[in-house]
Amino acid sequence: MDIQTHKDNGILTINFNRPEKKNAITAAMYQSMADALRDGETDVSVRAILLTGKPEIFTAGNDLEDFMKNARSLASPDVLPPVYQFMQALSTSSKPVIAAVSGAAVGIGTTLLMHCDLIYLADNAKLSMPFTQLGLCPEFASSMVFQQIVGYQRAAEKLMLGEPFSAQEAYEMGFVNKVLPLDELLPYAQQVAAKLVALPAASIRVTKRLMKAAQPEAVKVKMMEENQHFSAMLNAPEAKEAFTAFFQKRKPDFSQFN
């Protein structure tokens, strides 16, 4: 299974499990995660959610071949693609969501962290949002949420340049809670999840709802706005050049575009 899920002692764990493809995410994987989150939302035995990957990699982001096959559905107002189902379920979850990240977290691998409550990184983690490098724009309200977390200048640097940044830099800018040695990451995140499970579930839910009270509608609106731009840019010459260059394993040339 490319996505592994299991429930144990009040914790729903969702694990990227496609290491042979660097945990690149397909539409089917998004659907599995969306279904797991929705199930966890309604299951009273689930009191915390843990997202994780493999020691060597969290996720390389979208599987580009699968992504391009399904790109047309991103622009359709009548279809809610699996990636949107997943991000909607994640951003609206009433239960605490913990992310334990090691290795690379590319593109949506970093974007999704903005909608988690607690983020723990291994010291080998490397985050990046290379959307501009692909002729695209930020996704899933990251243009709003990321700067709310780290400030405008830091967000502008990471979103405009799209260059990777280290676990330590992510911690120093206030994006994540803690950086740990790789072998301590998962046990620590599981320990935190167990602490949340032991606390009154209603208190945790209300605390989260109060903290995010001003966000849900704004996030929804920003997601829609970004999606309109993202979908249009997918069909623009810059993105076509970027994806062609990727598959041809060469550096893209954007000098021909204004």
Side-chain angles (χ1 to χ4, degrees), residues 24-36:
I25 313 172
T26 63
M29 292 166 69
Y30 281 123
Q31 190 67 62
S32 294
M33 292 190 290
D35 292 343

Side-chain angles (χ1 to χ4, degrees), residues 30-31 33-35 37-38 41 79-94 97 108 111-112 115 140-141 208 212 216-217 219-221 223-224:
Y30 281 123
Q31 190 67 62
M33 292 190 290
D35 292 343
L37 286 170
R38 287 191 289 247
E41 185 70 16
V79 179
L80 191 62
V83 60
Y84 281 88
Q85 294 182 45
F86 165 63
M87 290 300 294
Q88 186 177 72
L90 178 63
S91 65
T92 60
S93 174
S94 67
V97 181
I108 198 163
T111 300
L112 70 84
H115 300 281
F140 297 110
K208 178 171 179 174
K212 293 200 167 212
E217 189 59 32
V219 167
K220 181 180 178 181
V221 170
M223 280 187 180
M224 291 176 61

Side-chain angles (χ1 to χ4, degrees), residues 45-63:
S45 72
V46 173
R47 297 164 75 105
I49 299 165
L50 176 61
L51 300 177
T52 189
K54 296 301 177 189
E56 64 277 10
I57 190 161
F58 185 62
T59 173
N62 287 310
D63 181 305

Side-chain angles (χ1 to χ4, degrees), residues 99-213:
V101 179
S102 53
V106 180
I108 198 163
T110 294
T111 300
L112 70 84
L113 300 180
M114 300 172 201
H115 300 281
C116 297
D117 301 295
L118 301 171
I119 308 167
Y120 301 105
L121 302 186
D123 51 16
N124 73 335
K126 187 81 69 174
L127 312 183
S128 64
M129 295 174 284
F131 304 115
T132 59
Q133 297 177 7
L134 294 170
L136 301 172
C137 67
E139 58 179 2
F140 297 110
S142 56
S143 65
M144 179 183 75
V145 178
F146 193 51
Q147 67 169 306
Q148 289 175 343
I149 298 170
V150 307
Y152 179 85
Q153 278 72 27
R154 291 191 180 99
E157 181 180 57
K158 303 312 177 191
L159 287 169
M160 290 183 181
L161 295 176
E163 295 173 348
F165 54 105
S166 68
Q168 187 60 33
E169 187 176 359
Y171 175 74
E172 290 171 357
M173 69 172 66
F175 183 36
V176 305
N177 295 88
K178 195 177 184 69
V179 178
L180 301 120
L182 178 58
D183 61 350
E184 296 178 18
L185 174 68
L186 189 56
Y188 187 88
Q190 291 169 332
Q191 183 182 45
V192 171
K195 288 181 180 180
L196 289 166
V197 167
L199 291 167
S203 294
I204 299 298
R205 285 196 306 270
V206 172
T207 298
K208 178 171 179 174
R209 185 165 66 246
L210 289 169
M211 293 178 70
K212 293 200 167 212

